[in-house]
Amino acid sequence: KGIKVAVLDTGTDPTGFQGPYLGGKSSMEGQPIPWDENGHGTHVETTISGRPFPTPWGQIRGVAIDADVAAFKVLGGGLGFGTMSAILRGIADAVEFGADIVSLSLGGDDEDYKTSPYHRIISGLTKGGMLFIIAAGNSGPNANTIGSPGSCPDALTVGAVSYPGGEIASFSSRGPTLNGLIKPDVVAPGVDILSSTATASLIDNMQFMDGPRLAAISGTSMSTPSVSGLCALALQYARIKGKILTTDHIKEACDLYGEFAGAKRNDYGWGLITYPLLKKYI
């Protein structure tokens, strides 16, 4: 409770049965309303904070159901394409919203972070205490496939593993980055993740076998919101304890207590991030 999460994606379905949501904004030219015609954004949003909902496969619920989540549409056109300018505008809208956490299940080709507008804005806002949780990308299994802005040093970059089992997903992008950074930082479940999607959206139609307004899909886009919800829980716990939790603190916790503590890898990072791991550090 009391933690604000901004989801920069394809928008949201305000009629979704795992709501309610706080609305949001659109920075997409020609699409002033943040309606989700793709379904990706709603799936991400409900993974973070979706209210409990019964399905034929059991109850689904988001990781942090009491978080205050708002959707900022930075991708559109049905297929979910976007521009850097729209994404940067979305980050500015997230700042105006007062976001504690910005969740970005998106990315493009890697670039030199030293000259990247993404890095400049993410670095500055991270120093101010915001957490940027960003997908590694789905261009694995080869090395040097981390996308941007996930390649930014100040991002908490998320790869995908299967669950149960914990095997790295073949599609999950691997480091090192163009600038030689070891990425991703952490991994989370990202294979066949069942969540709700937008009404009559592209993904809803493509995954109709999962049921109306439901979809079981895979990607680092699916593991990223899991980590965003987890960090929302940890941030609330830290505030209750009268402490501050920054991106550097989260990375230090993983380096101390992660599966690959002190030995970060270019596939798993420090390994699976969990609430007990962060609670132990806090």
Side-chain angles (χ1 to χ4, degrees):
K1 286 187 176 181
I3 307 301
K4 290 187 174 182
V5 183
V7 176
L8 274 59
D9 214 292
T10 61
T12 186
D13 180 353
T15 69
F17 46 66
Q18 284 192 271
Y21 306 114
L22 300 181
K25 286 186 176 181
S26 174
S27 56
M28 289 296 298
E29 185 175 353
Q31 294 184 288
I33 299 172
W35 175 264
D36 184 11
E37 74 280 1
N38 178 275
H40 188 275
T42 303
H43 194 283
V44 166
E45 195 173 21
T46 50
T47 300
I48 295 173
S49 66
R51 284 7 181 215
F53 182 79
T55 78
W57 301 275
Q59 187 186 77
I60 57 173
R61 58 178 287 165
V63 177
I65 62 174
D66 290 321
D68 296 325
V69 179
F72 296 89
K73 186 178 179 68
V74 300
L75 307 172
L79 295 177
F81 295 125
T83 62
M84 178 181 285
S85 61
I87 295 167
L88 292 176
R89 178 66 250 178
I91 293 175
D93 289 337
V95 173
E96 185 179 346
F97 168 61
D100 301 293
I101 296 169
V102 182
S103 187
L104 297 103
S105 289
L106 51 79
D109 293 338
D110 196 5
E111 56 188 350
D112 183 354
Y113 75 78
K114 296 174 184 176
T115 58
S116 169
Y118 284 134
H119 169 62
R120 290 197 291 273
I121 192 168
I122 290 173
S123 176
L125 292 172
T126 298
K127 287 180 174 63
M130 291 177 72
L131 306 181
F132 281 83
I133 318 297
I134 307 181
N138 301 327
S139 299
N142 293 331
N144 308 111
T145 51
I146 299 289
S148 176
S151 57
C152 293
D154 294 299
L156 185 69
T157 309
V158 185
V161 293
S162 62
Y163 184 84
E167 296 88 2
I168 191 76
S170 61
F171 57 77
S172 187
S173 291
R174 274 81 156 165
T177 68
L178 185 66
N179 293 93
L181 301 178
I182 300 175
K183 288 278 187 175
D185 299 300
V186 297
V187 293
V191 179
D192 293 329
I193 302 302
L194 180 67
S195 194
S196 60
T197 188
T199 306
S201 63
L202 178 65
I203 289 177
D204 190 28
N205 289 326
M206 290 177 65
Q207 299 292 127
F208 192 73
M209 76 288 286
D210 296 321
R213 302 167 80 177
L214 292 170
I217 52 180
S218 301
T220 57
S221 284
M222 283 63 254
S223 55
T224 296
S226 178
V227 176
S228 297
L230 174 65
C231 287
L233 296 175
L235 191 54
Q236 179 193 13
Y237 180 73
R239 289 180 179 179
I240 290 171
K241 302 288 284 186
K243 297 184 177 181
I244 295 172
L245 186 67
T246 67
T247 303
D248 283 344
H249 291 143
I250 293 169
K251 291 180 178 180
E252 184 177 42
C254 294
D255 190 43
L256 287 172
Y257 306 122
E259 292 177 283
F260 301 104
K264 188 180 181 185
R265 297 170 45 158
N266 277 308
D267 47 6
Y268 287 88
W270 284 296
L272 187 70
I273 186 170
T274 67
Y275 184 69
L277 182 157
L278 294 179
K279 190 174 181 181
K280 181 178 180 180
Y281 176 85
I282 295 167

